[in-house]
Amino acid sequence: MDSNGGNAVAQTDAPARSYEVRTFGCQMNVHDSERLSGLLEDAGYVKAKPDATPDLLVFNTCAVRENADNKLYGTLGHLAPVKLGRPGMQIAVGGCLAQKDRDTVVRKAPWVDVVFGTHNIGSLPVLLERARHNEEAQVEILESLKAFPSTLPAKRESAYAGWVSISVGCNNTCTFCIVPALRGKEVDRRPGDVLAEVGALVEQGVLEVTLLGQNVNSYGVNFVDADQPRDRGAFAQLLRAAGRIDGLERIRFTSPHPAEFTDDVIEAMAETPAVCPQLHMPLQSGSDRVLKAMRRSYRKERFLGIIDKVRAAMPHASITTDIIVGFPGETEEDFLETLDVVRRARFTSAYTFQYSKRPGTPAAELPDQLPKAVVQERYERLIALQDAISLELNEALIGTEVELLVADGAGKKNAATARMSGRARDGRLVHFRPGDNAGIRPGDVITVDITAAAPHHLIADGVVKSHRRTAAGDAHERGVTPKTAPIGVGLGLPSIGAPAPVAAAVDGCSTGCSA
């Protein structure tokens, strides 16, 4: 049986087995979990009810940080007696940590039934069946991608917002990062397939799409042949083409790389109304010396120059970043350079991390690994500076009107405060009081005035100024989320016509974006 043929699992008259997918890590993992859910439901599984012990528990793992290993193995340890008391229960481990640890998972947790990697998520249903039949663990780790994940069905988590991968893998060699070793070299989807998936989501009511890639702005690296150089405008063209899909109100993307961020992308963002005025631009360090040691192929002034250009084109754009504190050999002077960039760039927010030594990365072997106390002290100074900047920027929005796409589960204190939550077009989280508008649902669109601010969110406690009910809100109210069928059969070169549902969206789109 073909290990990628999830739909080929034999069906029986037995009650449907329930499943739960638990996701650790980045947005790419979240989207992969949607594919896993789609595969399992096509194979006859049903999603387990909240707080119920499922017949199948799938862990989609991350390996970026050291505590990911501890978290997984600790959780698996707690599940051993649960599985012993539930005959027939299965446990599967996939994702980046599975790709890295391979046979180690079964050695440390022999009650795990299936281990699969980042390149063969489509194998899961067949591996589960094989594990049941053979009564032994099945481990299948492929070294390279055989088919793009979009060739698998996906059961989406949200009625109003969707992830769409435009590429997988990464061609960079950052010394702190293990992702290229686990996800492989960059492979790009054909533009027509990307647009077809976006169109399929919009047809089912989705208002917002986030384009995903380890390095989205290098999109088009595979669109080459012997006589044609890489089309460096492919990502900008893709943004413009997606913006022409009728009904798509918001487009976001993550994450670009500063070294390859070009002016045409800034122009496409500014000139395409559906593209949100938001940019996540990973800095990692403000020290040129540390950036060189990280193999980040840009320098401080290049990074700040991009920020200046984005703000010139979109003065109210929200710019966020990633920063690593305590990279091996980082001096106090290096750290002060990072603080200088933070002051000058004035990020809306920053995802800050203490350097985590990852076996298998070049940085793990570097001398001058910093003491935990030094890293912690610098980390706290960075957090204090960024929080102060975030609060100042957010307070400047008090009294302004914002449009929100109402979100589900975005406010942990909403039940106590009688608020709901939504995302502004620039990505900021806003908690608001619905007041007499009891019919507001996740997926609807409202406008409110900002009345208060905190470093990580805004508050709108005044009246809701407008409320637009949407098909996404209708779907959420019914408990229905989109399910997208497999899209595309190939990788790389855009050699065939765009699928019919979005053919009009790609008119006028040249080389890199003409599927």
Side-chain angles (χ1 to χ4, degrees):
M1 185 179 292
D2 185 348
S3 65
N4 285 321
N7 295 344
V9 176
Q11 303 297 313
T12 70
D13 294 330
R17 291 171 58 80
S18 62
Y19 78 91
E20 178 185 342
V21 180
R22 296 185 187 177
T23 309
F24 306 116
C26 65
Q27 295 96 330
M28 193 70 73
N29 275 27
V30 173
H31 185 40
D32 282 350
S33 290
E34 293 182 329
R35 300 285 178 198
L36 291 169
S37 295
L39 277 167
L40 292 170
E41 294 198 3
D42 269 16
Y45 291 78
V46 295
K47 189 171 184 178
K49 296 180 180 179
D51 301 322
T53 301
D55 297 311
L56 167 65
L57 185 53
V58 182
F59 292 93
N60 189 13
T61 64
C62 174
V64 171
R65 301 187 62 75
E66 187 174 12
N67 64 3
D69 303 52
N70 300 331
K71 184 174 182 179
L72 173 67
Y73 292 118
T75 302
L76 291 176
H78 290 305
L79 284 169
V82 176
K83 186 180 179 190
L84 186 64
R86 187 181 177 89
M89 181 181 180
Q90 289 187 295
I91 299 173
V93 177
C96 291
L97 189 60
Q99 187 82 20
K100 177 177 76 73
D101 281 3
R102 302 170 185 254
D103 294 332
T104 304
V105 177
V106 175
R107 179 172 56 81
K108 288 187 174 183
W111 51 92
V112 168
D113 299 277
V114 170
V115 180
F116 61 101
T118 59
H119 299 310
N120 62 315
I121 63 176
S123 303
L124 179 59
V126 169
L127 292 173
L128 290 166
E129 185 71 16
R130 192 182 300 161
R132 281 194 294 271
H133 181 271
N134 296 348
E135 297 184 344
E136 65 178 10
Q138 301 295 308
V139 179
E140 182 175 287
I141 306 291
L142 301 185
E143 296 300 329
S144 61
L145 193 68
K146 301 302 182 185
F148 205 90
S150 62
T151 60
L152 306 172
K155 180 68 169 65
R156 306 294 179 149
E157 291 296 316
S158 169
Y160 49 87
W163 311 101
V164 175
S165 290
I166 67 171
S167 65
V168 295
C170 182
N171 292 342
N172 295 313
T173 58
C174 302
T175 56
F176 57 82
C177 185
I178 199 170
V179 168
L182 303 179
R183 292 275 182 179
K185 292 291 186 181
E186 180 175 333
V187 179
D188 297 329
R189 290 179 71 186
R190 295 179 304 178
D193 290 346
V194 173
L195 296 172
E197 185 174 342
V198 174
L201 288 170
V202 172
E203 285 182 355
Q204 296 178 72
V206 167
L207 300 176
E208 175 180 302
V209 162
T210 301
L211 304 178
L212 291 178
Q214 304 295 153
N215 180 8
V216 291
N217 56 314
S218 68
Y219 179 72
V221 68
N222 299 140
F223 301 163
V224 295
D225 57 34
D227 302 316
Q228 177 182 337
R230 169 187 163 191
D231 182 357
R232 292 187 176 274
F235 183 60
Q237 294 171 49
L238 184 67
L239 286 178
R240 292 181 186 275
R244 291 194 289 271
I245 296 177
D246 188 40
L248 181 60
E249 298 188 13
R250 297 184 175 192
I251 302 170
R252 306 187 194 277
F253 59 87
T254 192
S255 287
H257 192 292
E260 299 190 66
F261 201 80
T262 50
D263 291 350
D264 64 327
V265 174
I266 299 174
E267 292 166 2
M269 293 176 67
E271 295 170 4
T272 307
V275 176
C276 293
Q278 175 189 13
L279 177 66
H280 184 74
M281 181 68 75
L283 170 64
Q284 308 302 4
S285 174
S287 162
D288 287 351
R289 193 186 69 83
V290 173
L291 288 171
K292 183 177 180 180
M294 289 178 166
R295 292 186 196 156
R296 299 286 288 178
S297 47
Y298 57 89
R299 297 298 177 258
K300 172 180 177 177
E301 293 304 324
R302 156 73 174 161
F303 183 93
L304 289 168
I306 293 171
I307 302 302
D308 289 343
K309 288 181 178 180
V310 170
R311 290 213 168 104
M314 296 173 286
H316 301 296
S318 169
I319 300 175
T320 58
T321 196
D322 296 332
I323 300 174
I324 296 173
V325 178
F327 187 80
E330 179 189 76
T331 65
E332 176 66 13
E333 289 72 23
D334 293 324
F335 178 67
L336 292 176
E337 288 288 321
T338 295
L339 295 184
D340 178 59
V341 174
V342 171
R343 291 189 186 94
R344 293 169 63 183
R346 295 181 64 75
F347 300 114
T348 303
S349 64
Y351 298 89
T352 52
F353 307 92
Q354 298 184 34
Y355 170 74
S356 179
K357 186 176 181 180
R358 303 306 289 136
T361 62
E365 306 302 322
L366 291 176
D368 301 323
Q369 303 281 331
L370 272 61
K372 169 67 175 176
V374 172
V375 178
Q376 182 68 34
E377 188 272 339
R378 290 178 184 169
Y379 178 77
E380 291 173 0
R381 286 157 60 193
L382 173 61
I383 291 291
L385 173 61
Q386 181 57 56
D387 279 356
I389 293 171
S390 296
L391 178 60
E392 182 181 341
L393 294 174
N394 283 351
E395 286 179 335
L397 296 175
I398 294 175
T400 63
E401 180 181 288
V402 295
E403 177 195 90
L404 304 182
L405 176 56
V406 181
D408 183 31
K412 295 179 180 179
K413 299 179 181 179
N414 281 353
T417 60
R419 293 188 179 112
M420 297 178 69
S421 301
R423 291 281 176 184
R425 290 188 61 83
D426 65 6
R428 284 178 167 92
L429 178 63
V430 181
H431 304 302
F432 67 94
R433 293 191 189 277
D436 295 332
N437 297 272
I440 295 176
R441 307 147 315 165
D444 286 349
V445 177
I446 66 169
T447 57
V448 292
D449 288 336
I450 302 302
T451 59
H456 305 295
H457 65 266
L458 298 166
I459 294 173
D461 277 346
V463 299
V464 174
K465 302 179 72 173
S466 69
H467 171 209
R468 173 161 55 92
R469 294 173 68 87
T470 67
D474 295 341
H476 184 275
E477 193 169 40
R478 297 194 308 270
V480 176
T481 59
K483 187 169 183 179
T484 47
I487 294 177
V489 295
L491 301 170
L493 286 173
S495 57
I496 65 172
V502 292
V506 296
D507 288 345
C509 191
S510 61
T511 311
C513 198
S514 55

